[in-house]
Every structure is written in C-alpha cells, then in structure tokens.
Amino acid sequence: MVAAAASATVATGAALTAVLAGAGTSAADPVSLTLNYSCPFPLIGTQTLQIVISADIPTTVNVGEPTPAFTVTAVATVPPTATQGLTLVGAATVEGSAKASSTVTAPEATIPVTVPATIPVTPVPASGSFDTVATGDAPSLTFTQAGQATITVGDILLTLHPKRADGTDTGLGVFDSQCTQVAGQNNTLANITINGGTTTEPTTTEPTTTEPTTTEPTTTEPTTTEPTTTEPTTTEPTTTEPTTSEPSTTEPTTTTSNPPTGIDYSYTLEGDSVVKKLNATVPLSGGIDANLDLASGNFTADLSLEPSKLKATLFHFIPITAKVAFEQEGKTTGTLAGGVLNSTSHTTIKLPSVKVFGFPISKSPKCQSSEPSEINLTSGPGFDPLAGGDLSGTYEIAPLENCGPLTGLISPLATGPGNTIDVTLSPKES
C-alpha cells in the first residue's frame, strides 16, 4: 500500500533529477538506481521500500542548449506486510500523490528541488508482495556553464489514499508518510558532462570571437567570464526551485522518531449476553484497549465490563433478579487475519446479590463461578480495526461457589454451556 505510493513518489523524484540532468544533443544512455527507503505507516509501523529508478539520460550536454524532456520510470516493490495491512482494512486499491526531493550539483549552483507527482490507482492483491510502476516526464533545462553536473535522489513525502472495492474510504482515510532514504547508499542517479559552446567551433571561431585559449586565462577571460557570471540569471527556473524544496530539507527530521511496534486501539463495548438456563438477557457495556500488530495479525487487549443486572422468571412465575459483575483473568488475546477477528477472554462471573420474589437468598460478594469462563468471540468478514464492528460467540459458566447456604440451589440456575454473547465495538473518541 504504502509502497505503491512510494514508488510513484520516487518516480517523481527520479523525474525531477533527470530533468535537471538535461537531455542534451548527445545520445541518451540508460541509467538505473536502486534505493531503500524507511517509511512510517499507520497499522504496520515503519516499512522498508525498495524502489528501482530508471531513465535514459545523456552523458553530455552543451551549454546554452535546452534539453528535451524524457521519461523516467520507477518500480517499487510493496512488501507482504504492507499488503496485509491494506487487506486488513479492506483496501482494494491505493492511490495518492508524492513529493520527491532531488539535488542537481552543477558548476553554476547546487540546486535542491521538490517535484510533485500523481500516484495512479494500483490494485492491492490478497496477499504477498506486488510491484507498482510510476512514470514521469522531465521538463527541459538549460545549463549556463561548462563542467560536470551530478544528479542525486533524496527523500520522499507520500500522501496515500487506500480505497475499498466500491470506491469508499477505509478506516485509514488519507494519510501522509515521510520516507527517509536509508543511510549509506549511493544515491547518484547520473553524472553529466556539460560542454562549453566553444568546444564545437575549435578553429574558425577562435579568430573571429578573439577567444583563443591562450588569451582566455589572462586578458580576455574577464570579459568572456562576465557574461557567464551574469548568465546564471538565465537559470532562474532552477534557482527558484530551491524555495520549493526547502520544506523537504526539514521534512526528514519528522521521521526521526520510531513508530511503535504495535498500534493501540480503544473501543467502547455495548451488547448483551443470554444465560441459557434462565433464558435471561444480561446487558453488557464497557471498553477494550487493544494493541494490534498488523504485521503478524496478533493482538493483546485489556477488557473491562461494567456491573450489570439479570432478570428472569423461573418456572414461568418465580421472579429472580441478580447483580452481575465480571472479573477479567489476564489479557484478552486474538488474531485479525483475512478480515476476520477472533478473540479469547477468560472471565470470572460474580453474583454478589441474588433475590427471589424480591427477597435476598444470597448477599455474598464472593459468590462467583468456580472457574473463569473462556469466551471466544468472532467477527464477520471485513472487520475494520479502525472502525470497529460486531462480535459474537458462546461460552460456558462453571458451577457457582461461595454463595451461602443456598449455593446448591442457586448454582444450577446459571451454570452450563450454550450461553451466547453479542457485542459491538466502536472506536472511542480521542
């Protein structure tokens, strides 16, 4: 997902640098550069993207001659982890935009440039890695001084927009990722020789223009050099570009912090549970704070349920009411894979007050199930960790204990298998 954008972005960066390189009048030579980028993303944390940039860039150009535009191609390999992150939120495609920074070091100036690019709609496979391809056309440029020019590729700012198959947004919405080039790489895309105009007119021009090579260093050089020193003003298109790229010089600093290994989510919980023996419905409310690692699909969570009440009619005429409390034993654990969430919680069920016909038959705060109930919940397909969703499952209640003299009477009323639970998770407002 992320990589899709990254590739397009790098393509942009490549296009930019290629642009500044110029195409000249000589034959263009194919060049290729492979770079790794560290890109922070929601859900999956920081990922390393490999991007291959290729273009046909001339090895030589002439001073004062505009370069024709040419095409730059960038291919990014999206890692399986990024694919998993996309599929988990239901993304079928990803698109967006990118801003790539590049630097052209030429005799007249060192010019940082930021170039925007569009990331085309790219399908997301069900699993595994996939490639995204981006192309861009480099604009024309004119060099004003002879010498050597070097083109280097810099960092990338991605703006990504994953979408579902029906074109609607996923829970990710639109987000930015500042990708920083992994240190220690050779990021030179091309080296270009810039020939001076006099090199193409060796004999006939020297007498008429009084530019012999012997006089240039001494008396004539000042006069011939002055036009050259003023000509950089003709390269204002490149000197004005640094102002557009200055923000990109500070952007890499935003990537100095390391994203968490897991993503924290907080949900409110609403629903109910039906105790089979009593055919009684117990309202449920509470919350859950989860840490989800979408790279593996595993999560751990802290579940809390508010005290509730049970109302039932025994033998169709005996009213029973009870206070119900829940004590969580350890962490809730589970997986989110293939768009389906599965969770397991261990909960001790407490009945601190039980009444029949309004008269208390147990007021023991220690009245509870003798063993925690294992509650397994499963979502339907397409569960979105950012939007929440519905979960359901069944569980068993172990025999009750510590309910006073009438424990033997109370316990059979609630214990047994086949109890159901249905809840809805909704993201907490930040």
mmCIF file of all heavy atoms in Angstrom, residues 91-115:
data_model
loop_
_atom_site.group_PDB
_atom_site.id
_atom_site.type_symbol
_atom_site.label_atom_id
_atom_site.label_comp_id
_atom_site.label_asym_id
_atom_site.label_seq_id
_atom_site.Cartn_x
_atom_site.Cartn_y
_atom_site.Cartn_z
ATOM 1 N N ALA A 91 -8.799 -2.595 1.959
ATOM 2 C CA ALA A 91 -8.365 -1.806 0.806
ATOM 3 C C ALA A 91 -8.236 -2.696 -0.424
ATOM 4 O O ALA A 91 -7.584 -3.738 -0.386
ATOM 5 C CB ALA A 91 -7.040 -1.116 1.098
ATOM 6 N N ALA A 92 -8.846 -2.256 -1.522
ATOM 7 C CA ALA A 92 -8.729 -2.962 -2.797
ATOM 8 C C ALA A 92 -7.777 -2.240 -3.742
ATOM 9 O O ALA A 92 -7.175 -2.854 -4.628
ATOM 10 C CB ALA A 92 -10.086 -3.107 -3.464
ATOM 11 N N THR A 93 -7.630 -0.921 -3.545
ATOM 12 C CA THR A 93 -6.716 -0.117 -4.367
ATOM 13 C C THR A 93 -6.043 0.929 -3.491
ATOM 14 O O THR A 93 -6.499 1.220 -2.380
ATOM 15 C CB THR A 93 -7.447 0.607 -5.512
ATOM 16 O OG1 THR A 93 -8.405 1.531 -4.942
ATOM 17 C CG2 THR A 93 -8.163 -0.377 -6.431
ATOM 18 N N VAL A 94 -4.968 1.490 -3.994
ATOM 19 C CA VAL A 94 -4.321 2.613 -3.323
ATOM 20 C C VAL A 94 -3.908 3.620 -4.391
ATOM 21 O O VAL A 94 -3.500 3.249 -5.494
ATOM 22 C CB VAL A 94 -3.093 2.163 -2.496
ATOM 23 C CG1 VAL A 94 -2.016 1.556 -3.372
ATOM 24 C CG2 VAL A 94 -2.529 3.315 -1.677
ATOM 25 N N GLU A 95 -4.031 4.892 -4.063
ATOM 26 C CA GLU A 95 -3.643 5.971 -4.968
ATOM 27 C C GLU A 95 -3.194 7.151 -4.127
ATOM 28 O O GLU A 95 -3.192 7.080 -2.895
ATOM 29 C CB GLU A 95 -4.821 6.373 -5.858
ATOM 30 C CG GLU A 95 -6.055 6.825 -5.075
ATOM 31 C CD GLU A 95 -7.275 6.970 -5.965
ATOM 32 O OE1 GLU A 95 -7.402 8.042 -6.571
ATOM 33 O OE2 GLU A 95 -8.071 6.008 -6.057
ATOM 34 N N GLY A 96 -2.820 8.249 -4.762
ATOM 35 C CA GLY A 96 -2.410 9.417 -3.997
ATOM 36 C C GLY A 96 -1.448 10.312 -4.751
ATOM 37 O O GLY A 96 -1.526 10.439 -5.977
ATOM 38 N N SER A 97 -0.542 10.924 -4.012
ATOM 39 C CA SER A 97 0.423 11.845 -4.603
ATOM 40 C C SER A 97 1.729 11.747 -3.830
ATOM 41 O O SER A 97 1.796 11.136 -2.766
ATOM 42 C CB SER A 97 -0.099 13.287 -4.567
ATOM 43 O OG SER A 97 -0.304 13.701 -3.222
ATOM 44 N N ALA A 98 2.764 12.356 -4.382
ATOM 45 C CA ALA A 98 4.079 12.287 -3.761
ATOM 46 C C ALA A 98 4.875 13.546 -4.071
ATOM 47 O O ALA A 98 4.639 14.208 -5.081
ATOM 48 C CB ALA A 98 4.830 11.061 -4.256
ATOM 49 N N LYS A 99 5.778 13.861 -3.167
ATOM 50 C CA LYS A 99 6.727 14.950 -3.379
ATOM 51 C C LYS A 99 8.127 14.392 -3.146
ATOM 52 O O LYS A 99 8.468 13.995 -2.033
ATOM 53 C CB LYS A 99 6.457 16.112 -2.430
ATOM 54 C CG LYS A 99 5.148 16.835 -2.703
ATOM 55 C CD LYS A 99 4.940 17.990 -1.738
ATOM 56 C CE LYS A 99 3.639 18.704 -2.009
ATOM 57 N NZ LYS A 99 3.422 19.826 -1.054
ATOM 58 N N ALA A 100 8.921 14.368 -4.218
ATOM 59 C CA ALA A 100 10.258 13.792 -4.136
ATOM 60 C C ALA A 100 11.299 14.904 -4.187
ATOM 61 O O ALA A 100 11.214 15.813 -4.999
ATOM 62 C CB ALA A 100 10.481 12.815 -5.285
ATOM 63 N N SER A 101 12.268 14.806 -3.311
ATOM 64 C CA SER A 101 13.344 15.793 -3.312
ATOM 65 C C SER A 101 14.552 15.239 -4.061
ATOM 66 O O SER A 101 14.858 14.055 -3.973
ATOM 67 C CB SER A 101 13.743 16.159 -1.879
ATOM 68 O OG SER A 101 14.264 15.028 -1.214
ATOM 69 N N SER A 102 15.204 16.109 -4.823
ATOM 70 C CA SER A 102 16.409 15.754 -5.560
ATOM 71 C C SER A 102 17.360 16.942 -5.527
ATOM 72 O O SER A 102 16.971 18.055 -5.197
ATOM 73 C CB SER A 102 16.078 15.393 -7.005
ATOM 74 O OG SER A 102 15.196 14.287 -7.067
ATOM 75 N N THR A 103 18.605 16.672 -5.873
ATOM 76 C CA THR A 103 19.610 17.735 -5.900
ATOM 77 C C THR A 103 20.414 17.632 -7.183
ATOM 78 O O THR A 103 20.866 16.551 -7.554
ATOM 79 C CB THR A 103 20.563 17.635 -4.695
ATOM 80 O OG1 THR A 103 19.801 17.732 -3.490
ATOM 81 C CG2 THR A 103 21.594 18.748 -4.730
ATOM 82 N N VAL A 104 20.584 18.773 -7.867
ATOM 83 C CA VAL A 104 21.450 18.860 -9.035
ATOM 84 C C VAL A 104 22.635 19.741 -8.662
ATOM 85 O O VAL A 104 22.476 20.906 -8.324
ATOM 86 C CB VAL A 104 20.715 19.447 -10.241
ATOM 87 C CG1 VAL A 104 21.671 19.591 -11.419
ATOM 88 C CG2 VAL A 104 19.533 18.575 -10.619
ATOM 89 N N THR A 105 23.813 19.158 -8.702
ATOM 90 C CA THR A 105 25.029 19.914 -8.421
ATOM 91 C C THR A 105 25.703 20.228 -9.747
ATOM 92 O O THR A 105 26.224 19.336 -10.422
ATOM 93 C CB THR A 105 25.972 19.112 -7.518
ATOM 94 O OG1 THR A 105 25.276 18.749 -6.323
ATOM 95 C CG2 THR A 105 27.205 19.925 -7.159
ATOM 96 N N ALA A 106 25.650 21.500 -10.154
ATOM 97 C CA ALA A 106 26.201 21.955 -11.433
ATOM 98 C C ALA A 106 27.227 23.054 -11.175
ATOM 99 O O ALA A 106 27.303 23.588 -10.064
ATOM 100 C CB ALA A 106 25.077 22.454 -12.336
ATOM 101 N N PRO A 107 28.043 23.413 -12.181
ATOM 102 C CA PRO A 107 29.056 24.457 -11.960
ATOM 103 C C PRO A 107 28.462 25.775 -11.480
ATOM 104 O O PRO A 107 29.073 26.477 -10.683
ATOM 105 C CB PRO A 107 29.701 24.603 -13.342
ATOM 106 C CG PRO A 107 29.527 23.276 -13.975
ATOM 107 C CD PRO A 107 28.200 22.779 -13.508
ATOM 108 N N GLU A 108 27.250 26.126 -11.959
ATOM 109 C CA GLU A 108 26.690 27.424 -11.586
ATOM 110 C C GLU A 108 26.016 27.427 -10.219
ATOM 111 O O GLU A 108 25.864 28.479 -9.601
ATOM 112 C CB GLU A 108 25.685 27.912 -12.635
ATOM 113 C CG GLU A 108 24.565 26.939 -12.952
ATOM 114 C CD GLU A 108 24.842 26.129 -14.202
ATOM 115 O OE1 GLU A 108 25.936 25.525 -14.288
ATOM 116 O OE2 GLU A 108 23.983 26.117 -15.086
ATOM 117 N N ALA A 109 25.579 26.262 -9.740
ATOM 118 C CA ALA A 109 24.877 26.230 -8.451
ATOM 119 C C ALA A 109 24.578 24.803 -8.043
ATOM 120 O O ALA A 109 24.606 23.880 -8.860
ATOM 121 C CB ALA A 109 23.576 27.035 -8.540
ATOM 122 N N THR A 110 24.306 24.647 -6.744
ATOM 123 C CA THR A 110 23.748 23.397 -6.223
ATOM 124 C C THR A 110 22.279 23.662 -5.935
ATOM 125 O O THR A 110 21.953 24.523 -5.119
ATOM 126 C CB THR A 110 24.468 22.948 -4.948
ATOM 127 O OG1 THR A 110 25.835 22.668 -5.264
ATOM 128 C CG2 THR A 110 23.821 21.702 -4.363
ATOM 129 N N ILE A 111 21.427 22.917 -6.610
ATOM 130 C CA ILE A 111 20.009 23.255 -6.609
ATOM 131 C C ILE A 111 19.180 22.112 -6.026
ATOM 132 O O ILE A 111 19.048 21.064 -6.653
ATOM 133 C CB ILE A 111 19.523 23.569 -8.042
ATOM 134 C CG1 ILE A 111 20.433 24.613 -8.681
ATOM 135 C CG2 ILE A 111 18.074 24.017 -8.038
ATOM 136 C CD1 ILE A 111 20.252 24.722 -10.176
ATOM 137 N N PRO A 112 18.606 22.304 -4.819
ATOM 138 C CA PRO A 112 17.646 21.308 -4.300
ATOM 139 C C PRO A 112 16.276 21.559 -4.926
ATOM 140 O O PRO A 112 15.849 22.696 -5.078
ATOM 141 C CB PRO A 112 17.631 21.575 -2.800
ATOM 142 C CG PRO A 112 17.991 23.019 -2.673
ATOM 143 C CD PRO A 112 18.884 23.364 -3.838
ATOM 144 N N VAL A 113 15.593 20.520 -5.279
ATOM 145 C CA VAL A 113 14.299 20.670 -5.941
ATOM 146 C C VAL A 113 13.316 19.645 -5.394
ATOM 147 O O VAL A 113 13.675 18.503 -5.129
ATOM 148 C CB VAL A 113 14.437 20.484 -7.464
ATOM 149 C CG1 VAL A 113 13.107 20.710 -8.157
ATOM 150 C CG2 VAL A 113 15.502 21.409 -8.026
ATOM 151 N N THR A 114 12.064 20.063 -5.233
ATOM 152 C CA THR A 114 10.984 19.146 -4.874
ATOM 153 C C THR A 114 9.998 19.096 -6.020
ATOM 154 O O THR A 114 9.533 20.133 -6.495
ATOM 155 C CB THR A 114 10.270 19.602 -3.592
ATOM 156 O OG1 THR A 114 11.175 19.568 -2.500
ATOM 157 C CG2 THR A 114 9.087 18.693 -3.288
ATOM 158 N N VAL A 115 9.674 17.893 -6.464
ATOM 159 C CA VAL A 115 8.765 17.727 -7.600
ATOM 160 C C VAL A 115 7.543 16.922 -7.184
ATOM 161 O O VAL A 115 7.680 15.838 -6.631
ATOM 162 C CB VAL A 115 9.481 17.014 -8.764
ATOM 163 C CG1 VAL A 115 8.497 16.681 -9.870
ATOM 164 C CG2 VAL A 115 10.606 17.881 -9.293
#
